[in-house]
Amino acid sequence: MKTAVRRPSRPHCTCVEVRNYDYVAAAEKLGCKKRFLQDRISRLPHQRLGESVAFCDCDLRVIQRMFTVIPDEIWEGLLNQQQAETPALPAPLSLHSIKPAGAPRPSAAVI
């Protein structure tokens, strides 16, 4: 059985004041059952404090994103909206069109 990799930092965590939740409180905040979290704990972000498990608000946000389902029709609408709002970028230059800048020009002498 593979154990979770323990990392010295939590790059996803932006909590200024860390509030840790146990299984019951985390499940209540997410609107799921405690068992859902317990069954998937090896694949969910969490803190292990001895035998206890704790979740901060950032962990709960990541879990919520992991299980967000967006139907294809809505996803396509979001992509189309984003493309309409994004200005078109100019075509990249080909290598053949790139020319050297040339030799530097001498500066004017001050008399």
Side-chain angles (χ1 to χ4, degrees):
M1 183 174 173
K2 217 174 184 181
T3 58
V5 176
R6 301 196 197 299
R7 293 181 176 84
S9 65
R10 296 170 41 84
H12 69 283
C13 189
T14 58
C15 294
V16 175
E17 179 184 331
V18 178
R19 296 184 60 185
N20 287 332
Y21 304 101
D22 61 3
Y23 279 117
V24 174
E28 186 177 316
K29 281 193 75 127
L30 289 170
C32 66
K33 296 185 188 251
K34 171 183 162 183
R35 182 67 190 246
F36 176 84
L37 298 173
Q38 290 174 325
D39 290 347
R40 291 161 181 79
I41 194 62
S42 64
R43 294 176 289 176
L44 300 176
H46 64 282
Q47 302 165 60
R48 175 120 1 226
L49 309 167
E51 293 183 15
S52 301
V53 171
F55 302 91
C56 73
D57 287 314
C58 294
D59 294 332
L60 299 180
R61 275 195 296 275
V62 171
I63 293 168
Q64 190 173 26
R65 278 189 224 130
M66 289 171 63
F67 293 96
T68 297
V69 177
I70 301 175
D72 291 338
E73 300 82 30
I74 295 174
W75 186 251
E76 289 170 7
L78 290 172
L79 288 177
N80 291 337
Q81 179 184 2
Q82 184 181 21
Q83 288 172 354
E85 293 173 357
T86 305
L89 297 174
L93 299 173
S94 69
L95 287 176
H96 294 295
S97 67
I98 298 175
K99 305 283 188 239
R105 298 190 176 147
S107 61
V110 178
I111 301 177

PDB file of all heavy atoms in Angstrom, residues 46-80:
ATOM      1  N   HIS A  46      -5.531  16.991   2.835  1.00  0.00           N
ATOM      2  CA  HIS A  46      -5.890  17.030   4.244  1.00  0.00           C
ATOM      3  C   HIS A  46      -4.619  17.144   5.064  1.00  0.00           C
ATOM      4  O   HIS A  46      -3.520  17.070   4.539  1.00  0.00           O
ATOM      5  CB  HIS A  46      -6.668  15.771   4.659  1.00  0.00           C
ATOM      6  CG  HIS A  46      -5.876  14.513   4.540  1.00  0.00           C
ATOM      7  ND1 HIS A  46      -5.659  13.876   3.332  1.00  0.00           N
ATOM      8  CD2 HIS A  46      -5.238  13.766   5.477  1.00  0.00           C
ATOM      9  CE1 HIS A  46      -4.934  12.791   3.527  1.00  0.00           C
ATOM     10  NE2 HIS A  46      -4.654  12.705   4.821  1.00  0.00           N
ATOM     11  N   GLN A  47      -4.787  17.308   6.350  1.00  0.00           N
ATOM     12  CA  GLN A  47      -3.676  17.319   7.295  1.00  0.00           C
ATOM     13  C   GLN A  47      -3.832  16.106   8.196  1.00  0.00           C
ATOM     14  O   GLN A  47      -4.928  15.806   8.641  1.00  0.00           O
ATOM     15  CB  GLN A  47      -3.709  18.592   8.148  1.00  0.00           C
ATOM     16  CG  GLN A  47      -3.659  19.865   7.326  1.00  0.00           C
ATOM     17  CD  GLN A  47      -4.055  21.044   8.165  1.00  0.00           C
ATOM     18  OE1 GLN A  47      -3.414  21.338   9.162  1.00  0.00           O
ATOM     19  NE2 GLN A  47      -5.133  21.708   7.779  1.00  0.00           N
ATOM     20  N   ARG A  48      -2.742  15.434   8.423  1.00  0.00           N
ATOM     21  CA  ARG A  48      -2.777  14.294   9.328  1.00  0.00           C
ATOM     22  C   ARG A  48      -2.051  14.710  10.588  1.00  0.00           C
ATOM     23  O   ARG A  48      -0.878  15.042  10.570  1.00  0.00           O
ATOM     24  CB  ARG A  48      -2.105  13.095   8.679  1.00  0.00           C
ATOM     25  CG  ARG A  48      -2.003  11.951   9.592  1.00  0.00           C
ATOM     26  CD  ARG A  48      -2.638  10.654   9.298  1.00  0.00           C
ATOM     27  NE  ARG A  48      -3.369  10.425   8.107  1.00  0.00           N
ATOM     28  CZ  ARG A  48      -4.549   9.819   8.110  1.00  0.00           C
ATOM     29  NH1 ARG A  48      -5.094   9.465   9.257  1.00  0.00           N
ATOM     30  NH2 ARG A  48      -5.167   9.557   7.000  1.00  0.00           N
ATOM     31  N   LEU A  49      -2.780  14.729  11.686  1.00  0.00           N
ATOM     32  CA  LEU A  49      -2.232  15.112  12.984  1.00  0.00           C
ATOM     33  C   LEU A  49      -2.310  13.891  13.889  1.00  0.00           C
ATOM     34  O   LEU A  49      -3.318  13.662  14.545  1.00  0.00           O
ATOM     35  CB  LEU A  49      -3.035  16.285  13.567  1.00  0.00           C
ATOM     36  CG  LEU A  49      -3.209  17.482  12.612  1.00  0.00           C
ATOM     37  CD1 LEU A  49      -4.252  18.441  13.126  1.00  0.00           C
ATOM     38  CD2 LEU A  49      -1.885  18.163  12.418  1.00  0.00           C
ATOM     39  N   GLY A  50      -1.249  13.097  13.854  1.00  0.00           N
ATOM     40  CA  GLY A  50      -1.282  11.820  14.573  1.00  0.00           C
ATOM     41  C   GLY A  50      -2.267  10.904  13.879  1.00  0.00           C
ATOM     42  O   GLY A  50      -2.151  10.646  12.682  1.00  0.00           O
ATOM     43  N   GLU A  51      -3.257  10.420  14.597  1.00  0.00           N
ATOM     44  CA  GLU A  51      -4.291   9.573  13.993  1.00  0.00           C
ATOM     45  C   GLU A  51      -5.482  10.399  13.526  1.00  0.00           C
ATOM     46  O   GLU A  51      -6.374   9.883  12.869  1.00  0.00           O
ATOM     47  CB  GLU A  51      -4.745   8.513  14.993  1.00  0.00           C
ATOM     48  CG  GLU A  51      -3.657   7.499  15.300  1.00  0.00           C
ATOM     49  CD  GLU A  51      -4.147   6.413  16.236  1.00  0.00           C
ATOM     50  OE1 GLU A  51      -5.369   6.272  16.427  1.00  0.00           O
ATOM     51  OE2 GLU A  51      -3.291   5.714  16.793  1.00  0.00           O
ATOM     52  N   SER A  52      -5.481  11.676  13.853  1.00  0.00           N
ATOM     53  CA  SER A  52      -6.596  12.544  13.475  1.00  0.00           C
ATOM     54  C   SER A  52      -6.379  13.135  12.094  1.00  0.00           C
ATOM     55  O   SER A  52      -5.261  13.366  11.661  1.00  0.00           O
ATOM     56  CB  SER A  52      -6.735  13.684  14.481  1.00  0.00           C
ATOM     57  OG  SER A  52      -6.951  13.181  15.767  1.00  0.00           O
ATOM     58  N   VAL A  53      -7.486  13.418  11.426  1.00  0.00           N
ATOM     59  CA  VAL A  53      -7.462  14.061  10.119  1.00  0.00           C
ATOM     60  C   VAL A  53      -8.137  15.412  10.267  1.00  0.00           C
ATOM     61  O   VAL A  53      -9.149  15.544  10.952  1.00  0.00           O
ATOM     62  CB  VAL A  53      -8.209  13.197   9.075  1.00  0.00           C
ATOM     63  CG1 VAL A  53      -8.396  13.943   7.778  1.00  0.00           C
ATOM     64  CG2 VAL A  53      -7.450  11.905   8.847  1.00  0.00           C
ATOM     65  N   ALA A  54      -7.548  16.423   9.624  1.00  0.00           N
ATOM     66  CA  ALA A  54      -8.125  17.769   9.671  1.00  0.00           C
ATOM     67  C   ALA A  54      -8.123  18.367   8.270  1.00  0.00           C
ATOM     68  O   ALA A  54      -7.249  18.068   7.455  1.00  0.00           O
ATOM     69  CB  ALA A  54      -7.325  18.650  10.627  1.00  0.00           C
ATOM     70  N   PHE A  55      -9.105  19.213   8.003  1.00  0.00           N
ATOM     71  CA  PHE A  55      -9.227  19.909   6.733  1.00  0.00           C
ATOM     72  C   PHE A  55      -9.308  21.398   7.025  1.00  0.00           C
ATOM     73  O   PHE A  55     -10.038  21.818   7.915  1.00  0.00           O
ATOM     74  CB  PHE A  55     -10.526  19.507   6.006  1.00  0.00           C
ATOM     75  CG  PHE A  55     -10.652  18.039   5.735  1.00  0.00           C
ATOM     76  CD1 PHE A  55     -11.269  17.202   6.654  1.00  0.00           C
ATOM     77  CD2 PHE A  55     -10.180  17.501   4.550  1.00  0.00           C
ATOM     78  CE1 PHE A  55     -11.414  15.847   6.395  1.00  0.00           C
ATOM     79  CE2 PHE A  55     -10.319  16.155   4.290  1.00  0.00           C
ATOM     80  CZ  PHE A  55     -10.934  15.322   5.209  1.00  0.00           C
ATOM     81  N   CYS A  56      -8.563  22.211   6.272  1.00  0.00           N
ATOM     82  CA  CYS A  56      -8.725  23.663   6.389  1.00  0.00           C
ATOM     83  C   CYS A  56      -9.651  24.114   5.256  1.00  0.00           C
ATOM     84  O   CYS A  56     -10.044  23.317   4.401  1.00  0.00           O
ATOM     85  CB  CYS A  56      -7.373  24.385   6.334  1.00  0.00           C
ATOM     86  SG  CYS A  56      -6.593  24.429   4.723  1.00  0.00           S
ATOM     87  N   ASP A  57      -9.996  25.398   5.232  1.00  0.00           N
ATOM     88  CA  ASP A  57     -10.889  25.910   4.190  1.00  0.00           C
ATOM     89  C   ASP A  57     -10.314  25.708   2.794  1.00  0.00           C
ATOM     90  O   ASP A  57     -11.049  25.431   1.848  1.00  0.00           O
ATOM     91  CB  ASP A  57     -11.187  27.397   4.429  1.00  0.00           C
ATOM     92  CG  ASP A  57     -12.124  27.601   5.616  1.00  0.00           C
ATOM     93  OD1 ASP A  57     -13.136  26.889   5.700  1.00  0.00           O
ATOM     94  OD2 ASP A  57     -11.833  28.470   6.451  1.00  0.00           O
ATOM     95  N   CYS A  58      -9.004  25.857   2.640  1.00  0.00           N
ATOM     96  CA  CYS A  58      -8.381  25.665   1.318  1.00  0.00           C
ATOM     97  C   CYS A  58      -8.491  24.211   0.870  1.00  0.00           C
ATOM     98  O   CYS A  58      -8.716  23.937  -0.309  1.00  0.00           O
ATOM     99  CB  CYS A  58      -6.922  26.096   1.353  1.00  0.00           C
ATOM    100  SG  CYS A  58      -6.727  27.865   1.638  1.00  0.00           S
ATOM    101  N   ASP A  59      -8.320  23.263   1.797  1.00  0.00           N
ATOM    102  CA  ASP A  59      -8.507  21.852   1.461  1.00  0.00           C
ATOM    103  C   ASP A  59      -9.926  21.617   0.954  1.00  0.00           C
ATOM    104  O   ASP A  59     -10.140  20.915  -0.039  1.00  0.00           O
ATOM    105  CB  ASP A  59      -8.262  20.957   2.686  1.00  0.00           C
ATOM    106  CG  ASP A  59      -6.827  20.971   3.165  1.00  0.00           C
ATOM    107  OD1 ASP A  59      -5.918  21.194   2.340  1.00  0.00           O
ATOM    108  OD2 ASP A  59      -6.615  20.752   4.373  1.00  0.00           O
ATOM    109  N   LEU A  60     -10.889  22.219   1.624  1.00  0.00           N
ATOM    110  CA  LEU A  60     -12.292  22.035   1.235  1.00  0.00           C
ATOM    111  C   LEU A  60     -12.568  22.640  -0.138  1.00  0.00           C
ATOM    112  O   LEU A  60     -13.326  22.081  -0.929  1.00  0.00           O
ATOM    113  CB  LEU A  60     -13.224  22.631   2.289  1.00  0.00           C
ATOM    114  CG  LEU A  60     -13.114  22.015   3.686  1.00  0.00           C
ATOM    115  CD1 LEU A  60     -14.090  22.686   4.643  1.00  0.00           C
ATOM    116  CD2 LEU A  60     -13.324  20.511   3.659  1.00  0.00           C
ATOM    117  N   ARG A  61     -11.924  23.781  -0.453  1.00  0.00           N
ATOM    118  CA  ARG A  61     -12.101  24.379  -1.794  1.00  0.00           C
ATOM    119  C   ARG A  61     -11.543  23.455  -2.870  1.00  0.00           C
ATOM    120  O   ARG A  61     -12.139  23.283  -3.931  1.00  0.00           O
ATOM    121  CB  ARG A  61     -11.423  25.745  -1.860  1.00  0.00           C
ATOM    122  CG  ARG A  61     -12.295  26.864  -1.344  1.00  0.00           C
ATOM    123  CD  ARG A  61     -11.764  28.228  -1.754  1.00  0.00           C
ATOM    124  NE  ARG A  61     -10.464  28.537  -1.171  1.00  0.00           N
ATOM    125  CZ  ARG A  61     -10.294  29.057   0.038  1.00  0.00           C
ATOM    126  NH1 ARG A  61     -11.334  29.314   0.799  1.00  0.00           N
ATOM    127  NH2 ARG A  61      -9.100  29.324   0.489  1.00  0.00           N
ATOM    128  N   VAL A  62     -10.374  22.855  -2.613  1.00  0.00           N
ATOM    129  CA  VAL A  62      -9.778  21.938  -3.588  1.00  0.00           C
ATOM    130  C   VAL A  62     -10.672  20.715  -3.768  1.00  0.00           C
ATOM    131  O   VAL A  62     -10.920  20.271  -4.894  1.00  0.00           O
ATOM    132  CB  VAL A  62      -8.350  21.525  -3.159  1.00  0.00           C
ATOM    133  CG1 VAL A  62      -7.808  20.419  -4.048  1.00  0.00           C
ATOM    134  CG2 VAL A  62      -7.423  22.723  -3.181  1.00  0.00           C
ATOM    135  N   ILE A  63     -11.186  20.173  -2.685  1.00  0.00           N
ATOM    136  CA  ILE A  63     -12.077  19.014  -2.764  1.00  0.00           C
ATOM    137  C   ILE A  63     -13.321  19.365  -3.570  1.00  0.00           C
ATOM    138  O   ILE A  63     -13.764  18.598  -4.426  1.00  0.00           O
ATOM    139  CB  ILE A  63     -12.451  18.510  -1.352  1.00  0.00           C
ATOM    140  CG1 ILE A  63     -11.219  17.936  -0.653  1.00  0.00           C
ATOM    141  CG2 ILE A  63     -13.571  17.480  -1.419  1.00  0.00           C
ATOM    142  CD1 ILE A  63     -11.395  17.675   0.826  1.00  0.00           C
ATOM    143  N   GLN A  64     -13.865  20.538  -3.330  1.00  0.00           N
ATOM    144  CA  GLN A  64     -15.057  20.963  -4.064  1.00  0.00           C
ATOM    145  C   GLN A  64     -14.762  21.060  -5.555  1.00  0.00           C
ATOM    146  O   GLN A  64     -15.549  20.621  -6.386  1.00  0.00           O
ATOM    147  CB  GLN A  64     -15.541  22.303  -3.518  1.00  0.00           C
ATOM    148  CG  GLN A  64     -16.897  22.715  -4.044  1.00  0.00           C
ATOM    149  CD  GLN A  64     -17.395  23.967  -3.348  1.00  0.00           C
ATOM    150  OE1 GLN A  64     -16.609  24.772  -2.859  1.00  0.00           O
ATOM    151  NE2 GLN A  64     -18.694  24.126  -3.302  1.00  0.00           N
ATOM    152  N   ARG A  65     -13.597  21.608  -5.924  1.00  0.00           N
ATOM    153  CA  ARG A  65     -13.220  21.697  -7.340  1.00  0.00           C
ATOM    154  C   ARG A  65     -13.028  20.315  -7.946  1.00  0.00           C
ATOM    155  O   ARG A  65     -13.348  20.090  -9.115  1.00  0.00           O
ATOM    156  CB  ARG A  65     -11.920  22.491  -7.492  1.00  0.00           C
ATOM    157  CG  ARG A  65     -12.143  23.961  -7.474  1.00  0.00           C
ATOM    158  CD  ARG A  65     -10.869  24.706  -7.851  1.00  0.00           C
ATOM    159  NE  ARG A  65     -10.733  25.811  -6.928  1.00  0.00           N
ATOM    160  CZ  ARG A  65      -9.654  26.123  -6.235  1.00  0.00           C
ATOM    161  NH1 ARG A  65      -8.564  25.431  -6.362  1.00  0.00           N
ATOM    162  NH2 ARG A  65      -9.660  27.136  -5.422  1.00  0.00           N
ATOM    163  N   MET A  66     -12.472  19.384  -7.169  1.00  0.00           N
ATOM    164  CA  MET A  66     -12.225  18.033  -7.677  1.00  0.00           C
ATOM    165  C   MET A  66     -13.513  17.340  -8.109  1.00  0.00           C
ATOM    166  O   MET A  66     -13.510  16.549  -9.047  1.00  0.00           O
ATOM    167  CB  MET A  66     -11.538  17.179  -6.596  1.00  0.00           C
ATOM    168  CG  MET A  66     -10.107  17.555  -6.322  1.00  0.00           C
ATOM    169  SD  MET A  66      -9.436  16.692  -4.865  1.00  0.00           S
ATOM    170  CE  MET A  66      -9.509  14.996  -5.384  1.00  0.00           C
ATOM    171  N   PHE A  67     -14.590  17.635  -7.435  1.00  0.00           N
ATOM    172  CA  PHE A  67     -15.843  16.930  -7.691  1.00  0.00           C
ATOM    173  C   PHE A  67     -16.907  17.813  -8.351  1.00  0.00           C
ATOM    174  O   PHE A  67     -18.077  17.466  -8.365  1.00  0.00           O
ATOM    175  CB  PHE A  67     -16.374  16.322  -6.384  1.00  0.00           C
ATOM    176  CG  PHE A  67     -15.480  15.227  -5.880  1.00  0.00           C
ATOM    177  CD1 PHE A  67     -14.520  15.480  -4.918  1.00  0.00           C
ATOM    178  CD2 PHE A  67     -15.573  13.946  -6.406  1.00  0.00           C
ATOM    179  CE1 PHE A  67     -13.677  14.473  -4.475  1.00  0.00           C
ATOM    180  CE2 PHE A  67     -14.737  12.934  -5.971  1.00  0.00           C
ATOM    181  CZ  PHE A  67     -13.782  13.201  -5.004  1.00  0.00           C
ATOM    182  N   THR A  68     -16.480  18.937  -8.918  1.00  0.00           N
ATOM    183  CA  THR A  68     -17.420  19.796  -9.636  1.00  0.00           C
ATOM    184  C   THR A  68     -17.682  19.200 -11.009  1.00  0.00           C
ATOM    185  O   THR A  68     -16.749  18.846 -11.730  1.00  0.00           O
ATOM    186  CB  THR A  68     -16.858  21.226  -9.781  1.00  0.00           C
ATOM    187  OG1 THR A  68     -16.715  21.769  -8.476  1.00  0.00           O
ATOM    188  CG2 THR A  68     -17.780  22.103 -10.609  1.00  0.00           C
ATOM    189  N   VAL A  69     -18.948  19.092 -11.368  1.00  0.00           N
ATOM    190  CA  VAL A  69     -19.343  18.555 -12.669  1.00  0.00           C
ATOM    191  C   VAL A  69     -19.986  19.686 -13.471  1.00  0.00           C
ATOM    192  O   VAL A  69     -20.925  20.326 -12.998  1.00  0.00           O
ATOM    193  CB  VAL A  69     -20.350  17.392 -12.504  1.00  0.00           C
ATOM    194  CG1 VAL A  69     -20.823  16.887 -13.843  1.00  0.00           C
ATOM    195  CG2 VAL A  69     -19.729  16.279 -11.674  1.00  0.00           C
ATOM    196  N   ILE A  70     -19.454  19.930 -14.664  1.00  0.00           N
ATOM    197  CA  ILE A  70     -20.006  20.959 -15.543  1.00  0.00           C
ATOM    198  C   ILE A  70     -20.474  20.265 -16.818  1.00  0.00           C
ATOM    199  O   ILE A  70     -19.654  19.693 -17.542  1.00  0.00           O
ATOM    200  CB  ILE A  70     -18.959  22.041 -15.876  1.00  0.00           C
ATOM    201  CG1 ILE A  70     -18.463  22.702 -14.589  1.00  0.00           C
ATOM    202  CG2 ILE A  70     -19.535  23.067 -16.839  1.00  0.00           C
ATOM    203  CD1 ILE A  70     -17.348  23.698 -14.795  1.00  0.00           C
ATOM    204  N   PRO A  71     -21.782  20.283 -17.115  1.00  0.00           N
ATOM    205  CA  PRO A  71     -22.279  19.653 -18.335  1.00  0.00           C
ATOM    206  C   PRO A  71     -21.619  20.264 -19.579  1.00  0.00           C
ATOM    207  O   PRO A  71     -21.238  21.444 -19.580  1.00  0.00           O
ATOM    208  CB  PRO A  71     -23.781  19.945 -18.318  1.00  0.00           C
ATOM    209  CG  PRO A  71     -24.084  20.207 -16.879  1.00  0.00           C
ATOM    210  CD  PRO A  71     -22.862  20.834 -16.299  1.00  0.00           C
ATOM    211  N   ASP A  72     -21.476  19.463 -20.636  1.00  0.00           N
ATOM    212  CA  ASP A  72     -20.798  19.904 -21.861  1.00  0.00           C
ATOM    213  C   ASP A  72     -21.389  21.183 -22.438  1.00  0.00           C
ATOM    214  O   ASP A  72     -20.649  22.057 -22.898  1.00  0.00           O
ATOM    215  CB  ASP A  72     -20.841  18.799 -22.924  1.00  0.00           C
ATOM    216  CG  ASP A  72     -19.966  17.614 -22.540  1.00  0.00           C
ATOM    217  OD1 ASP A  72     -19.040  17.799 -21.725  1.00  0.00           O
ATOM    218  OD2 ASP A  72     -20.215  16.505 -23.059  1.00  0.00           O
ATOM    219  N   GLU A  73     -22.712  21.322 -22.428  1.00  0.00           N
ATOM    220  CA  GLU A  73     -23.342  22.506 -23.009  1.00  0.00           C
ATOM    221  C   GLU A  73     -22.914  23.773 -22.273  1.00  0.00           C
ATOM    222  O   GLU A  73     -22.626  24.800 -22.884  1.00  0.00           O
ATOM    223  CB  GLU A  73     -24.874  22.406 -22.975  1.00  0.00           C
ATOM    224  CG  GLU A  73     -25.454  21.234 -23.737  1.00  0.00           C
ATOM    225  CD  GLU A  73     -25.422  19.929 -22.936  1.00  0.00           C
ATOM    226  OE1 GLU A  73     -25.497  19.970 -21.692  1.00  0.00           O
ATOM    227  OE2 GLU A  73     -25.290  18.872 -23.563  1.00  0.00           O
ATOM    228  N   ILE A  74     -22.858  23.691 -20.957  1.00  0.00           N
ATOM    229  CA  ILE A  74     -22.459  24.856 -20.163  1.00  0.00           C
ATOM    230  C   ILE A  74     -20.975  25.131 -20.366  1.00  0.00           C
ATOM    231  O   ILE A  74     -20.560  26.273 -20.525  1.00  0.00           O
ATOM    232  CB  ILE A  74     -22.790  24.636 -18.673  1.00  0.00           C
ATOM    233  CG1 ILE A  74     -24.302  24.547 -18.499  1.00  0.00           C
ATOM    234  CG2 ILE A  74     -22.198  25.736 -17.811  1.00  0.00           C
ATOM    235  CD1 ILE A  74     -24.742  24.194 -17.114  1.00  0.00           C
ATOM    236  N   TRP A  75     -20.153  24.079 -20.407  1.00  0.00           N
ATOM    237  CA  TRP A  75     -18.717  24.223 -20.600  1.00  0.00           C
ATOM    238  C   TRP A  75     -18.422  24.903 -21.937  1.00  0.00           C
ATOM    239  O   TRP A  75     -17.606  25.814 -22.019  1.00  0.00           O
ATOM    240  CB  TRP A  75     -18.051  22.856 -20.523  1.00  0.00           C
ATOM    241  CG  TRP A  75     -16.561  22.917 -20.559  1.00  0.00           C
ATOM    242  CD1 TRP A  75     -15.757  22.526 -21.577  1.00  0.00           C
ATOM    243  CD2 TRP A  75     -15.691  23.417 -19.546  1.00  0.00           C
ATOM    244  NE1 TRP A  75     -14.445  22.736 -21.259  1.00  0.00           N
ATOM    245  CE2 TRP A  75     -14.374  23.282 -20.015  1.00  0.00           C
ATOM    246  CE3 TRP A  75     -15.900  23.955 -18.287  1.00  0.00           C
ATOM    247  CZ2 TRP A  75     -13.265  23.686 -19.270  1.00  0.00           C
ATOM    248  CZ3 TRP A  75     -14.798  24.344 -17.551  1.00  0.00           C
ATOM    249  CH2 TRP A  75     -13.501  24.200 -18.038  1.00  0.00           C
ATOM    250  N   GLU A  76     -19.107  24.474 -22.999  1.00  0.00           N
ATOM    251  CA  GLU A  76     -18.908  25.079 -24.316  1.00  0.00           C
ATOM    252  C   GLU A  76     -19.334  26.544 -24.302  1.00  0.00           C
ATOM    253  O   GLU A  76     -18.676  27.398 -24.906  1.00  0.00           O
ATOM    254  CB  GLU A  76     -19.681  24.302 -25.377  1.00  0.00           C
ATOM    255  CG  GLU A  76     -19.079  22.946 -25.653  1.00  0.00           C
ATOM    256  CD  GLU A  76     -19.971  22.063 -26.517  1.00  0.00           C
ATOM    257  OE1 GLU A  76     -21.014  22.556 -27.013  1.00  0.00           O
ATOM    258  OE2 GLU A  76     -19.623  20.890 -26.684  1.00  0.00           O
ATOM    259  N   GLY A  77     -20.438  26.851 -23.633  1.00  0.00           N
ATOM    260  CA  GLY A  77     -20.888  28.237 -23.519  1.00  0.00           C
ATOM    261  C   GLY A  77     -19.867  29.097 -22.797  1.00  0.00           C
ATOM    262  O   GLY A  77     -19.612  30.240 -23.191  1.00  0.00           O
ATOM    263  N   LEU A  78     -19.271  28.568 -21.736  1.00  0.00           N
ATOM    264  CA  LEU A  78     -18.249  29.311 -21.001  1.00  0.00           C
ATOM    265  C   LEU A  78     -17.019  29.548 -21.872  1.00  0.00           C
ATOM    266  O   LEU A  78     -16.439  30.637 -21.860  1.00  0.00           O
ATOM    267  CB  LEU A  78     -17.851  28.559 -19.732  1.00  0.00           C
ATOM    268  CG  LEU A  78     -18.906  28.498 -18.627  1.00  0.00           C
ATOM    269  CD1 LEU A  78     -18.457  27.560 -17.526  1.00  0.00           C
ATOM    270  CD2 LEU A  78     -19.190  29.878 -18.077  1.00  0.00           C
ATOM    271  N   LEU A  79     -16.607  28.537 -22.635  1.00  0.00           N
ATOM    272  CA  LEU A  79     -15.449  28.689 -23.507  1.00  0.00           C
ATOM    273  C   LEU A  79     -15.714  29.707 -24.605  1.00  0.00           C
ATOM    274  O   LEU A  79     -14.862  30.534 -24.920  1.00  0.00           O
ATOM    275  CB  LEU A  79     -15.061  27.337 -24.120  1.00  0.00           C
ATOM    276  CG  LEU A  79     -14.425  26.329 -23.172  1.00  0.00           C
ATOM    277  CD1 LEU A  79     -14.159  25.021 -23.892  1.00  0.00           C
ATOM    278  CD2 LEU A  79     -13.147  26.867 -22.575  1.00  0.00           C
ATOM    279  N   ASN A  80     -16.912  29.659 -25.199  1.00  0.00           N
ATOM    280  CA  ASN A  80     -17.263  30.618 -26.254  1.00  0.00           C
ATOM    281  C   ASN A  80     -17.291  32.034 -25.705  1.00  0.00           C
ATOM    282  O   ASN A  80     -16.843  32.973 -26.359  1.00  0.00           O
ATOM    283  CB  ASN A  80     -18.611  30.261 -26.886  1.00  0.00           C
ATOM    284  CG  ASN A  80     -18.532  28.980 -27.692  1.00  0.00           C
ATOM    285  OD1 ASN A  80     -17.456  28.589 -28.138  1.00  0.00           O
ATOM    286  ND2 ASN A  80     -19.658  28.331 -27.868  1.00  0.00           N
TER     287      ASN A  80
END
